[in-house]
Amino acid sequence: DKWRIDIWQLAGEGWLTLLKQHREAVMQRYVERFQSLRQDHIDNLFKQVIGLRQLSTNWRWSQMSPSQALSCLNTLMDLRGDLVHRNVSHRPVTKADIDYFSVFAEQLAIISANAVGKYLYDLLGEYPWEIMPDANIAFKESFCTPKRSPTPRPLRNQVSGKNSVLL
């Protein structure tokens, strides 16, 4: 019987070896191929890896609804994609954008970590980490709504005046 042979793989340090092999397989399958922080990609990642369905439904706080958070995330990903792949942006990117989206990304990470922690608590009976207070960033439509221009504009380095990626 195959199970009688396989069970011996768990003996001694065998269980640790199998756990490490599983971790590597999960990393290759889900994390190394993860390229975009889009809602459906994030939701699918957490569903497949730990069974948490629709993590993105937790992306809300007192000054931002889930649809507003999604709008901000999509705008951020559009701007990032423009800069990384084309060296142009559909709208100017300012220092204020960078400041706003930095706080937004931190808030989204905190909300997500807290939601995952609560999910694991419900499964295991204890929190894997402390629940973190959120930054409570307000939704600002001027940052989170793409301002499409007829043609993408190259970014200009304010110091040299040359076209370049500022990030």
Side-chain angles (χ1 to χ4, degrees):
D1 295 320
K2 185 170 175 18
W3 72 268
R4 289 184 182 175
I5 296 169
D6 289 345
I7 198 141
W8 287 106
Q9 291 179 357
L10 298 175
E13 298 289 316
W15 68 271
L16 188 56
T17 301
L18 288 174
L19 185 62
K20 288 178 182 178
Q21 289 171 350
H22 176 70
R23 182 189 65 197
E24 289 304 314
V26 167
M27 293 297 286
Q28 276 188 325
R29 182 171 181 190
Y30 297 107
V31 179
E32 289 177 11
R33 295 181 183 174
F34 191 79
Q35 298 211 2
S36 175
L37 294 178
R38 299 286 182 185
Q39 171 198 3
D40 56 333
H41 296 162
I42 294 168
D43 283 343
N44 188 49
L45 174 70
F46 281 90
K47 179 182 167 209
Q48 294 296 322
V49 174
I50 64 170
L52 175 59
R53 296 181 186 276
Q54 297 182 318
L55 173 65
S56 62
T57 60
N58 292 282
W59 296 345
R60 64 182 175 283
W61 48 95
S62 63
Q63 298 186 51
M64 193 170 300
S65 71
S67 63
Q68 290 171 326
L70 184 56
S71 176
C72 287
L73 179 62
N74 287 340
T75 300
L76 175 59
M77 291 297 94
D78 288 343
L79 289 170
R80 180 225 170 257
D82 288 349
L83 296 172
V84 170
H85 299 293
R86 298 190 326 223
N87 197 23
V88 293
S89 176
H90 63 270
R91 68 173 174 85
V93 177
T94 66
K95 182 181 180 317
D97 283 313
I98 293 168
D99 292 342
Y100 180 82
F101 284 121
S102 294
V103 175
F104 170 77
E106 179 181 2
Q107 176 67 10
L108 211 53
I110 290 170
I111 294 291
S112 297
N114 288 346
V116 170
K118 169 105 176 57
Y119 173 78
L120 293 174
Y121 173 82
D122 291 345
L123 287 175
L124 306 172
E126 68 180 73
Y127 284 97
W129 49 76
E130 285 186 35
I131 297 299
M132 298 172 276
D134 56 304
N136 206 15
I137 182 175
F139 175 74
K140 294 186 180 174
E141 190 171 350
S142 61
F143 290 107
C144 297
T145 303
K147 298 174 184 170
R148 300 275 177 201
S149 62
T151 42
R153 293 175 259 189
L155 298 177
R156 296 196 67 67
N157 184 315
Q158 294 184 8
V159 176
S160 69
K162 296 179 181 177
N163 293 344
S164 63
V165 175
L166 300 177
L167 299 177

